[in-house]
Amino acid sequence: MTNLFNALKFPDSEENQYIMKCIMRVLGVADISREVADACITGLTSILNEVCKNPKNPIFNHYLFEAVAVLIRRACDRDPTLTSAFEAKLFPSLQIILENDVTEFLPYTFQLLAQLVELNRPLPAHYMPVFKVLLSPESWKKSANVPALVRLLQAFLQKAPHELSRGETLTQVLGIFNQLVQSSSTDEQGFFVLNTVVENLGYNVIAPYMHHIWAALFTRLQNSQTVRFVKCLLIFMSLFLVKHGSTNLVDSVNAVQPNLFTIILEQFWLPNLKQITGAIELKLTSVASTRLICESPMLLDPAASRLCGKMLDSIMTLVSRPEQDRVEEEVEVPDLEETTGYSATFVHLYNAGKKEEDPLKEIKDPKEFLVASLANLSAVSPGRYPTIISENLGPENHAALLRLCGTYNRSIL
């Protein structure tokens, strides 16, 4: 490593992208001791301070930030006590980037800060000024910063959810969500913020804001509906249900407009459930849909038998058919006014990536959960559910459900 860093001191090699890429690769595989880690972070921050003065080689700069990210990830995984030492070395450099508004480096800076925030518990006080910058509307005006800002905001909300109960903080966060969700180019980022809020705060905290949240989502749904937005909406509603219960979900939606949840269920949830992709997302939406059938007084009502059956048919399509047979891809066309003009580009740091969390770790198999839930429910009302199934499930889904019952040794009475 000493030789690699020394090679950057040769004439005309100060920003040699091949040397920096080599440093990044070595840090990605080497056995990093505390002494090596300390020397490397010192060398990398020194280089960062220099390139901040005049960023001119984007490839070199990208490998530089990747090298910092991989060093943080691997060294702090091995020795968590290094986190504070890395912060002491990195914070002055990151502060220079923020204070001088070094546009090219802002997305990288926010991703590194998110990585450092996630390594801390409890969160040190010196991060709070960064949180305040994060909540400023000015920070969100550059579209290239948005994915990295969302990543950082998620990290703060996960590590310091208590901060949202102070003053107007939650209102400010929901204002950011509202701004992002109204545009087709940033709506998915808006859902990332909203999902993190719902996952980390109690219902008593978010209940006063739910009318505003649903109104914002349904207004966007009415004005500009895309397949991606509807999928994000279903994932959010599913997460809300598994965290706060089916009753709170149904009641808070119906508080916006009487019987609105039934309309959402029939027009959006049922026909679009099959569009869900991703193992965690499939499990989440399948389990939430199953719990709606088995727990919600609205769907337990005999008058809702048809709706209950159609929901089960949609769940079976989701869990039993290959993705290529059920998903209809939609080409998303970005808003024209949001793509004109120059702006710095967001570049994802591979080594600072967010670990995907499973909100239902306790449930291993959504198919088994479905069959077990139906079997338990049918035992309470013998004869009702076989009729619902025969009248509402298509032949292919009916056969698939019978196979699942055999696989898991369960009976629907």
Side-chain angles (χ1 to χ4, degrees), residues 123-138:
L123 200 59
H126 57 254
Y127 279 98
M128 287 305 107
V130 178
F131 190 38
K132 290 177 182 176
V133 171
L134 186 58
L135 295 178
S136 165
E138 195 68 29

Side-chain angles (χ1 to χ4, degrees), residues 57-100:
N57 186 339
I59 299 175
F60 175 85
N61 295 336
H62 179 75
Y63 288 136
L64 169 60
F65 279 98
E66 283 285 11
V68 174
V70 73
L71 179 60
I72 293 171
R73 177 171 61 82
R74 297 192 69 240
C76 294
D77 276 352
R78 176 172 176 161
D79 183 358
T81 63
L82 277 170
T83 302
S84 57
F86 279 15
E87 287 172 344
K89 293 282 177 64
L90 265 176
F91 254 62
S93 302
L94 301 182
Q95 198 68 34
I96 290 170
I97 294 170
L98 293 173
E99 289 175 356
N100 296 330

Side-chain angles (χ1 to χ4, degrees), residues 22-199:
C22 188
I23 290 173
M24 178 196 74
R25 294 293 189 205
V26 172
L27 289 174
V29 296
D31 187 16
I32 306 171
S33 67
R34 189 180 184 94
E35 292 72 27
V36 170
D38 187 65
C40 287
I41 198 66
T42 300
L44 290 170
T45 51
S46 175
I47 296 166
L48 180 56
N49 290 338
E50 284 302 310
V51 297
C52 276
K53 297 172 184 175
N54 182 23
K56 58 181 184 287
N57 186 339
I59 299 175
F60 175 85
N61 295 336
H62 179 75
Y63 288 136
L64 169 60
F65 279 98
E66 283 285 11
V68 174
V70 73
L71 179 60
I72 293 171
R73 177 171 61 82
R74 297 192 69 240
C76 294
D77 276 352
R78 176 172 176 161
D79 183 358
T81 63
L82 277 170
T83 302
S84 57
F86 279 15
E87 287 172 344
K89 293 282 177 64
L90 265 176
F91 254 62
S93 302
L94 301 182
Q95 198 68 34
I96 290 170
I97 294 170
L98 293 173
E99 289 175 356
N100 296 330
D101 195 28
V102 184
T103 305
E104 297 89 339
F105 291 170
L106 287 175
Y108 292 126
T109 298
F110 295 134
Q111 289 176 84
L112 289 181
L113 284 169
Q115 190 180 17
L116 289 168
V117 167
E118 287 170 351
L119 289 169
N120 279 281
R121 193 173 213 120
L123 200 59
H126 57 254
Y127 279 98
M128 287 305 107
V130 178
F131 190 38
K132 290 177 182 176
V133 171
L134 186 58
L135 295 178
S136 165
E138 195 68 29
S139 301
W140 297 81
K141 287 184 177 178
K142 294 172 185 170
S143 59
N145 293 341
V146 167
L149 285 168
V150 167
R151 166 99 164 77
L152 178 55
L153 182 55
Q154 285 181 287
F156 270 111
L157 297 180
Q158 288 168 336
K159 291 295 181 179
H162 58 278
E163 288 293 327
L164 291 181
S165 61
R166 297 183 181 178
E168 296 295 310
T169 305
L170 183 52
T171 301
Q172 290 173 289
V173 170
L174 292 176
I176 292 168
F177 144 73
N178 197 19
Q179 176 186 334
L180 295 175
V181 85
Q182 296 309 319
S183 166
S184 61
S185 63
T186 56
D187 52 11
E188 190 172 29
Q189 300 294 328
F191 275 107
F192 290 159
V193 173
L194 187 59
N195 291 348
T196 308
V197 168
V198 163
E199 194 166 4

